[in-house]
Each structure stands twice: as C-alpha cells, then as structure tokens.
Amino acid sequence: MSGTELERAAKAFRARFGREPSHAAAAPGRLNLIGEHTDYNEGFVLPLAIDRWVAAAVAPAPGACSRLHAADLDETVEADLTGPVQPVGGFADYLIGVAAELAGPHPRRNLDVVVLGSLPPGAGLASSAALEVAFARAVLATLGVQMEPRELARVCQRAEHACPGTPCGPMDQLVATHAVPGQVTLIDCRSLELLPLPLGDTEILVVDSGVRRTLADGGFAAVRERCAEAAAALHVPSLRDADRSLLGGLAPSLRGAAQHVIEENERTLLAAAALRASDAEALGELLLDGHASLRDNLGVSCAELDAIVDRAASLRSEGVLGARLTGAGFGGCALVACRPGTGDALAGRFSDFPTTFRAA
Ligand code: GLA
C-alpha cells in the first residue's frame, strides 16, 4: 500500500517547508515480466505493478517560484513552473515536464513540492513514470480536476519526451495510472487495450545489479532509433507489422533489433497464454529466451545482469523457473521467477548483489 510513502511525504513536507501540504498522491512502480523494447514499436508488454511507490506532497508556493525537494536525495531545486520549459537536470526535470504538459487549459501555478519513494531510481522499475504520475495526480488535486487514467498516462509520457527528453513508450505510465500491485496486465501498445491476467502462485524475486544508468543518457534513444530505422527499411509503419520472412533483407546492424521485436512480441503473447494455462514452466523458458535476445540481438544487457540470469539458470533444481533483465536494460534489475514456496530461500543465493526483494 502507498500509505507509508504518503505519510512520509507529508512528514518530509512539514520538515522542509514548516507547514502542511495541501495535497498528496502516489503511484506504483512496475516490473515488466516480458515484452521489452516492444512498447514503442506498438507491440505487446506484460508488466506487473509492484508494491513500491513514489509519493508527492504539494502546496501552493508562497513566492514566485517553485521549490522542488527530493527528500531521499536531500536535494532542493528552485524552478518557475509557470514559465517556458527549461531542463535543469535530475529529478526536477520530470516535474517541470509534467507541470508544462498538464498546463493546457488549466492555470499554472508555482508549488512547493516534496517527492520520495520506496522505488530505487534508475533500477529499471519505472521510477520515472511513478514520479510523473504521482506528481501529476497531486497537481490535478490542487486544481480540483479529474483526468481519465489513459489520458493521464499519455500526458506523463509526452512530458517525459519533452523534459527530460527521453523518448519512452507508453508502458510505464499506463502501469502507474492503471495497475494495482500484484496485478499482471497484458497491454497492446497499439490499441492501448489492457487485459488483467493471473500470476498464479509463481513467486517473483527482483535482484538489483547495482549498475545504474538513466534513460536520458542516450542508450535508450539509440535503440529506439535503430528500431525506427529497421521499420523504415522494411517499409512497415512499425516493427509490430514486420515478420521474420523480411529479416534477410535488412542490414546486419538493423537485423538484430527487428528480430528482437518480432520474436519478443511472439514471446509476450505466448507468456500471456502460459499465465492463462497456469503453465509456469513455459513462462520460465520464455523469460530465459527473452533475456538471451536482449543480450545478443539488442545488446542492452551488461555483465552484472548476465551474471544474475546465469546464476538463476543454474538454480533450476532449487526452484528457479526462469530469469531475465527487466526494464530498458544497461543496468538495473533482473527478475527471477520461482516455484511456489522457493522464493525466500532462493533470495539468499543472490545475497552478493546489492538488493534482492520479493515482488510477488
Ligand atoms: C523503459 C521505457 C519503456 C519501455 C522499456 C523497455 O522503461 O520507459 O517505455 O520502452 O524501457 O521495454
């Protein structure tokens, strides 16, 4: 539940600004079971919302600028949220982007803001989307405005494109606006249709490699660009529309990206079918195949993530079903799917990594 984070945000607001916040809101993180780098190719994703949150507490600012405070970082940035968008770097950019994108017909005002959370930033668990959605919900509350969740997700995705300038797909914001922790959802990123599915009694561990990147670093944008080039070379609107028979005609530099997206869409639909059929073995195999493709076809893994997945694969006799990196890659976390009743013991097998926790 988000209660703890909301209380902590209100308390941190009082400590920082010496008065009560007028509004507070939270949004959850996500663990993507499978369907990686498919969302911005209009494909399929299968995320799970997790019980880790970002919360934002806000109140109208007394002065002519906003004071944006990240309590976990003990960092405050001053910015004018009523003026043109000017990126300043770091967490504040997400708030600046959201404030500008929300503006539209609504009045803009400066706010004192505290954000914090239980979601590690830069770990592939969609902390940016949770930050955007929590802050957007708090701002909308100050305006007394309701927004339909899909529209809110779109606003936050556009905000991230504008500032800090990361060309993310729609998955993370849709999970942050729609999903309930513990809920797996199959999302068709073309129609934006969401279908809840049961995880059953499979247990999920999250192992943090400790390697950090930010999507704003450029690696993510480069992969997205490669996918767009591959789609253009294949004369299809997006890689969602490509099929294997076309791969031979592509330059080797684009072939891996196209192959990954085509096969990852297939894997994601097969994983959804495996969940429906309670076939945890099949799900595990798909996770391992998905990791191999992210590593070999897309090149977004790293040595530490590969080490976690290799170790997991060697622990099948102890209950591991499968494992893969989750999120954009380049660092962050891997997930390990485990047979019922084995997750807690298996967590001990990853104690040399910075953090391991049960997500389901
Ligand atoms: C990041 C992006 C998402 C998605 C994943 C990769 O989390 O924000 O839109 O593209 O990477 O699947």
Side-chain angles (χ1 to χ4, degrees):
M1 289 299 290
S2 58
T4 319
E5 288 81 359
L6 286 169
E7 272 166 32
R8 277 180 56 218
K11 191 169 165 207
F13 190 98
R14 286 193 288 274
R16 178 64 183 77
F17 296 117
R19 65 190 202 283
E20 289 294 326
S22 62
H23 297 86
R30 69 98 189 92
L31 186 71
N32 193 17
L33 281 188
I34 196 159
E36 220 65 88
H37 290 273
T38 45
D39 65 344
Y40 54 82
N41 291 300
E42 301 193 358
F44 298 95
V45 294
L46 196 60
L48 164 77
I50 60 174
D51 195 11
R52 299 249 168 165
W53 301 78
V54 173
V58 307
C65 81
S66 295
R67 291 175 292 181
L68 314 174
H69 181 65
D72 297 328
L73 307 173
D74 195 20
E75 198 183 314
T76 305
V77 170
E78 297 202 348
D80 181 4
L81 294 186
T82 66
V85 171
Q86 276 176 353
V88 294
F91 82 96
D93 281 356
Y94 298 92
L95 310 185
I96 292 170
V98 166
E101 204 56 50
L102 272 180
H106 307 302
R108 292 171 74 176
R109 61 165 72 150
N110 276 306
L111 298 165
D112 283 339
V113 181
V114 166
V115 293
L116 53 73
S118 49
L119 202 53
L125 301 176
S127 60
S128 309
L131 175 60
E132 291 151 13
V133 172
F135 178 60
R137 283 178 169 154
V139 173
L140 289 170
T142 67
L143 298 167
V145 171
Q146 304 265 352
M147 193 178 278
E148 194 272 317
R150 231 181 230 95
E151 175 58 14
L152 180 57
R154 277 296 192 204
V155 163
C156 290
Q157 186 194 2
R158 283 202 305 269
E160 188 161 335
H161 287 199
C163 182
T166 308
C168 61
M171 165 171 65
D172 301 349
Q173 288 80 5
L174 283 169
V175 175
T177 52
H178 283 79
V180 178
Q183 176 68 63
V184 182
T185 309
L186 175 66
I187 306 176
D188 177 337
C189 296
R190 175 165 275 169
S191 67
L192 299 191
E193 207 180 310
L194 285 85
L195 180 70
L197 288 171
L199 181 60
D201 47 13
T202 297
E203 297 182 358
I204 306 282
L205 284 180
V206 180
V207 184
D208 192 339
S209 69
V211 177
R212 287 292 175 265
R213 47 84 191 146
T214 73
L215 293 194
D217 285 347
F220 179 83
V223 175
R224 182 168 181 160
E225 186 54 36
R226 236 189 300 150
C227 291
E229 278 176 38
L234 292 172
H235 307 290
V236 290
S238 90
L239 287 180
R240 159 81 173 257
D241 307 297
D243 71 69
R244 259 197 209 81
S245 65
L246 302 171
L247 286 174
L250 277 178
S253 60
L254 302 180
R255 198 177 303 147
Q259 185 178 343
H260 170 77
V261 174
I262 293 167
E263 294 179 355
E264 185 80 347
N265 278 328
E266 292 170 359
R267 277 189 289 271
T268 304
L269 293 175
L270 287 170
L275 286 182
R276 281 195 202 94
S278 305
D279 188 349
E281 302 289 330
L283 176 70
E285 289 304 322
L286 291 161
L287 299 182
L288 289 165
D289 290 351
H291 183 81
S293 178
L294 287 163
R295 184 190 60 211
D296 303 337
N297 292 325
L298 214 55
V300 298
S301 189
C302 64
E304 293 81 354
L305 287 167
D306 291 344
I308 296 169
V309 172
D310 288 348
R311 170 130 15 121
S314 75
L315 295 170
R316 291 198 198 194
S317 62
E318 296 181 30
V320 169
L321 293 158
R324 61 183 283 281
L325 73 82
T326 188
F330 312 105
C333 294
L335 69 89
V336 182
C338 313
R339 279 181 216 291
T342 65
D344 291 337
L346 279 165
R349 299 297 215 151
F350 297 92
S351 56
D352 49 328
F353 288 94
T355 338
T356 301
F357 66 91
R358 277 275 299 277

